[in-house]
Amino acid sequence: MRVLLVEDDPKQLMPLQMVLSQAGHSVDGVKDGETAQWLLSEKEYDLLILDWMLPRVSGVTLCREYRAAGKTAPVLMITARDTTPEKVTGLDAGADDYLVKPIDLVEFMARVRALRRRSPLWQGDTLSLEDLHLHLDTLIVERQGATVALSSREFQLLEYFMRHPRQVLTRNQIEQAVWEWGTEPESNAITVLVRKLRQRLQAVGAADWVESIYGMGYRLTLPEAHEF
């Protein structure tokens, strides 16, 4: 998933961002509400994780504005506020779940997995396209009984392709989907990543599914036998 994580305490931000990245998610981690507002106006996310108390713009305000804009991605609120009225305020603002600090990372990831399952794109813990299956918790891709493990970045790229089958994805779109905000890949990074993904997919007989579209980008194309 593409995750927006907003937490002003670096001691909280870093471990949360690390555990999410290790699970294969692409995470934009920011420390203030204004930066989060700008990102939400520029990018689409699958999950928002918002600290209640933030500089400039609070997490509750971010959540209200996000829902008012008609956006439906799940929102997990994290905060030291644990009284019932404050929980009600967060939930009424549009939050889907509420986690009180100090955060246990095991429980945190369980909450993330539970919110992920609410998306119509997810079938259990596996994202499937025809006979290609991407196991979200293990970063393993499977087809016709063969399996191969992916790196976190390879997983993120394949997930992005599988969520946009037959669609030509530009290098800029791939960069925004796979690389975290504030980082800039080297000029040949996308070419190298696509080549590595094809090498992995070769193990399951799907290397030719990733098609280069000259001058435009890349596309995940299903075999002709599976076309509708």
Side-chain angles (χ1 to χ4, degrees):
M1 291 188 295
R2 165 65 71 176
V3 179
L4 177 62
L5 171 62
V6 192
E7 167 60 71
D8 65 324
D9 183 355
K11 293 181 180 179
Q12 296 280 346
L13 177 65
M14 293 299 291
L16 295 180
Q17 188 166 4
M18 181 179 297
V19 72
L20 286 166
S21 297
Q22 288 173 344
H25 304 300
S26 181
V27 187
D28 288 341
V30 298
K31 299 178 183 178
D32 67 88
E34 281 189 352
T35 302
Q37 279 181 324
W38 179 81
L39 284 171
L40 288 170
S41 71
E42 295 290 321
K43 305 173 71 171
E44 295 294 331
Y45 291 93
D46 304 299
L47 174 65
L48 276 60
I49 302 173
L50 308 176
D51 185 22
W52 182 300
M53 297 295 293
L54 292 169
R56 304 185 183 96
V57 181
S58 72
V60 172
T61 298
L62 284 172
C63 187
R64 285 200 187 101
E65 292 177 349
Y66 187 72
R67 295 298 186 223
K71 301 297 182 66
T72 59
V75 175
L76 172 61
M77 193 75 68
I78 53 175
T79 179
R81 299 171 179 262
D82 61 352
T83 66
T84 297
E86 288 162 339
K87 290 180 181 179
V88 169
T89 298
L91 294 171
D92 283 348
D96 296 271
D97 200 358
Y98 199 100
L99 193 57
V100 178
K101 298 178 181 180
I103 295 174
D104 178 88
L105 293 180
V106 174
E107 180 184 4
F108 171 73
M109 288 307 299
R111 301 287 184 106
V112 168
R113 289 192 295 271
L115 291 173
R116 179 189 65 195
R117 295 187 189 106
R118 298 186 183 185
S119 168
L121 293 169
W122 307 112
Q123 302 296 324
D125 291 323
T126 302
L127 179 62
S128 298
L129 184 63
E130 295 296 320
D131 60 354
L132 189 71
H133 309 290
L134 185 61
H135 298 281
L136 306 176
D137 293 334
T138 59
L139 312 193
I140 287 176
V141 62
E142 177 185 3
R143 181 171 181 256
Q144 298 178 354
T147 62
V148 64
L150 305 177
S151 71
S152 176
R153 194 80 76 186
E154 292 162 356
F155 170 85
Q156 291 164 7
L157 179 59
L158 181 57
E159 176 201 3
Y160 187 52
F161 278 138
M162 292 180 69
R163 293 182 62 179
H164 301 83
R166 302 181 179 87
Q167 178 180 335
V168 177
L169 302 173
T170 66
R171 288 175 172 269
N172 184 60
Q173 287 175 311
I174 292 172
E175 179 180 332
Q176 290 193 21
V178 177
W179 272 266
E180 294 77 13
W181 177 78
T183 64
E184 186 174 347
E186 296 181 2
S187 58
N188 67 335
I190 293 174
T191 301
V192 171
L193 181 59
V194 169
R195 183 173 68 245
K196 289 181 176 179
L197 178 59
R198 283 176 173 148
Q199 290 171 349
R200 295 286 189 272
L201 291 177
Q202 188 172 3
V204 296
D208 59 346
W209 286 33
V210 179
E211 180 184 5
S212 298
I213 308 299
Y214 182 75
M216 299 180 66
Y218 301 93
R219 176 172 61 194
L220 186 66
T221 303
L222 306 187
E224 290 184 7
H226 291 157
E227 291 286 359
F228 298 109

